[in-house]
Amino acid sequence: MQISKFNLKGYVLLIFLIFTYFNSISQNKRIVDLYKRGQYERCLHKCNRQLRKKNNKSIANIYKSFSYYEISKDKKLNKKFKNSVYRSIKALSKLYSNKKAIFFIEKYSYRISEIRIEAENQAETLKTKAFYQKAIRIYRLLAKINSKKTNIYYYDIALCQLEIDRENEIHNTFKFILSNIKKKHTPKKKTDSIQDINMISKITKKLIELNQHEAALKAINHNKTIFPNNRNLRKINSALLLEYFIIYSKKKYCDIEKLYQMLLNFRLEYSESSKYKAVVKKIEKIHWQIKMINIVNKQRAKGYNDGTTIISPSPPLIWKNNLAKAAELHAKDMNHNDFCRHHGSGGSTLSKRIKSTGYKWFGIAENLAKGDNSVEEAIKKWMENKQFRKNLMHRRFRDFGAGKEGVSWVQNFGYGY
């Protein structure tokens, strides 16, 4: 009986496959046998050989992880194999990336949970010792292994990133956390949402403490998108914002327009609580500009009636930095050159001063005062003057800015386009 070349190749291939199959089984048995006998170094050597050959990756990875875990318990071996817990969890993460390894994950679930707990403890100790980069590496691997606790691990990553002051990475981590919450959050899981809210607020508070103002504000705004109607989060957010306002107001280059706009938005969203009023008073002591616009807006809302002149209430004004810049320049000029008039010492007019700041307007007005030591005194003087009172109470004006130098005060009003 003759055998064709085609059949011969087929038989050879079949024999080769049978040989490799039984060889891989014998290799797997050898790995398991070495591990059971406590020969962890040799077991690791066999696992690495199997992984290089790309044979039975699941068995090789799982026993590689177990071997490193056992090595971490032995003081002598642990010195030889540095970062054994990290290596153990790394091998496990590769197992989880393989979809075919579900059987092994279920079979060795108890052992895997032991390794995970050990890795969590290791990450915590690294955090306390200020090895934040190493802790982040472990948390990232843990997030791959335990999907139920992914968010918590990423919160820990964010807290480590805060300590090493990496603002961009914090934003990326925060976005990941929030997208995860969006996917998994359901109104029924109240305990989950409380845990998420507490962790988010913890990170945000840390951002405020570290003077990461922009990152903190972004974090607070992100919080609203996740749980828009949650009372607990509203309370936390309002408290964080008030804390943020005080810290921001103490900044060397504080933007008054931005600060006033944030205070206004807070009032519209959370209403005027006693805590808010206390914070505003603190800010008014730091920035007289906030005090002035608040007093002016209260006067406009109240209207004016002295028995002979009646002015109906007017809508509130909004602070504009360019109007304030023009007012400040003129206040300095008045104080240094000792005069009180609308024309500057260099021949500048109100329209020229405001035009130079880039403010585009339909109508403008200016109030001047000299010799007053406080905001209240200056406003009282303006309210006693017919023309200045008219400017301050005019319904068409929407924008406002003020400047002060010594005892010279300037207010600018405008409605722009």
Side-chain angles (χ1 to χ4, degrees), residues 110-335:
Y110 178 75
R111 201 96 178 97
I112 288 165
S113 64
E114 271 184 20
I115 295 166
R116 199 183 68 240
I117 291 160
E118 183 60 39
E120 283 173 8
N121 294 337
Q122 180 80 25
E124 283 298 317
T125 52
L126 285 167
K127 253 169 63 174
T128 52
K129 289 177 181 178
F131 295 119
Y132 300 113
Q133 205 61 54
K134 287 181 179 180
I136 287 167
R137 283 198 304 170
I138 293 172
Y139 283 129
R140 285 195 193 280
L141 293 171
L142 283 167
K144 289 180 184 178
I145 291 164
N146 191 357
S147 58
K148 289 179 182 177
K149 289 178 81 177
T150 303
N151 261 4
I152 293 163
Y153 295 136
Y154 269 90
Y155 287 129
D156 288 314
I157 288 166
L159 291 169
C160 288
Q161 286 169 346
L162 285 167
E163 295 297 336
I164 52 178
D165 195 22
R166 295 195 173 178
E167 197 174 328
N168 293 331
E169 287 183 23
I170 295 158
H171 283 310
N172 295 333
T173 307
F174 213 86
K175 279 178 185 175
F176 180 85
I177 293 165
L178 293 164
S179 64
N180 260 13
I181 296 168
K182 271 186 176 178
K183 284 176 193 173
K184 294 176 184 179
H185 174 68
T186 53
K188 290 176 185 177
K189 290 183 179 179
K190 286 182 181 178
T191 50
D192 289 358
S193 63
I194 289 162
Q195 189 186 41
D196 286 327
I197 287 161
N198 289 338
M199 291 303 276
I200 289 167
S201 63
K202 194 178 175 183
I203 294 167
T204 314
K205 199 164 188 179
K206 194 78 177 172
L207 284 165
I208 292 166
E209 284 170 15
L210 292 166
N211 294 326
Q212 300 281 1
H213 301 109
E214 296 304 316
L217 198 62
K218 278 183 183 178
I220 291 163
N221 291 329
H222 282 320
N223 297 351
K224 295 174 195 174
T225 61
I226 305 301
F227 310 107
N229 302 316
N230 192 293
R231 286 185 181 181
N232 290 334
L233 188 65
R234 277 180 68 82
K235 281 182 183 177
I236 290 164
N237 271 352
S238 63
L240 287 169
L241 275 168
L242 291 172
E243 197 175 332
Y244 170 74
F245 293 153
I246 292 166
I247 292 166
Y248 184 79
S249 66
K250 288 176 182 177
K251 272 180 83 176
K252 193 176 180 181
Y253 302 105
C254 177
D255 188 333
I256 301 297
E257 189 177 324
K258 187 181 176 182
L259 179 61
Y260 183 71
Q261 194 60 52
M262 287 192 295
L263 289 166
L264 196 67
N265 292 341
F266 183 94
R267 200 168 64 204
L268 293 167
E269 193 171 346
Y270 298 100
S271 76
E272 288 188 63
S273 62
S274 56
K275 285 180 182 177
Y276 170 79
K277 286 174 182 175
V279 166
V280 170
K281 278 184 180 178
K282 282 182 184 177
I283 293 168
E284 282 178 352
K285 285 177 183 177
I286 301 164
H287 298 287
W288 62 266
Q289 296 96 326
I290 299 294
K291 190 176 188 179
M292 180 171 275
I293 194 167
N294 283 339
I295 294 169
V296 167
N297 280 335
K298 278 177 188 176
Q299 185 63 60
R300 283 170 71 86
K302 196 165 58 175
Y304 180 79
N305 186 355
D306 64 350
T308 54
T309 309
I310 298 168
I311 303 171
S312 57
S314 305
L317 298 167
I318 294 165
W319 187 274
K320 291 288 177 185
N321 283 340
N322 35 20
L323 287 176
K325 190 182 176 182
E328 207 158 305
L329 285 167
H330 195 53
K332 282 178 182 177
D333 189 21
M334 280 167 54
N335 194 62

Side-chain angles (χ1 to χ4, degrees), residues 345-357:
S345 59
S348 67
T349 59
L350 172 62
S351 59
K352 279 182 182 177
R353 287 192 295 272
I354 288 176
K355 196 176 180 180
S356 67
T357 64

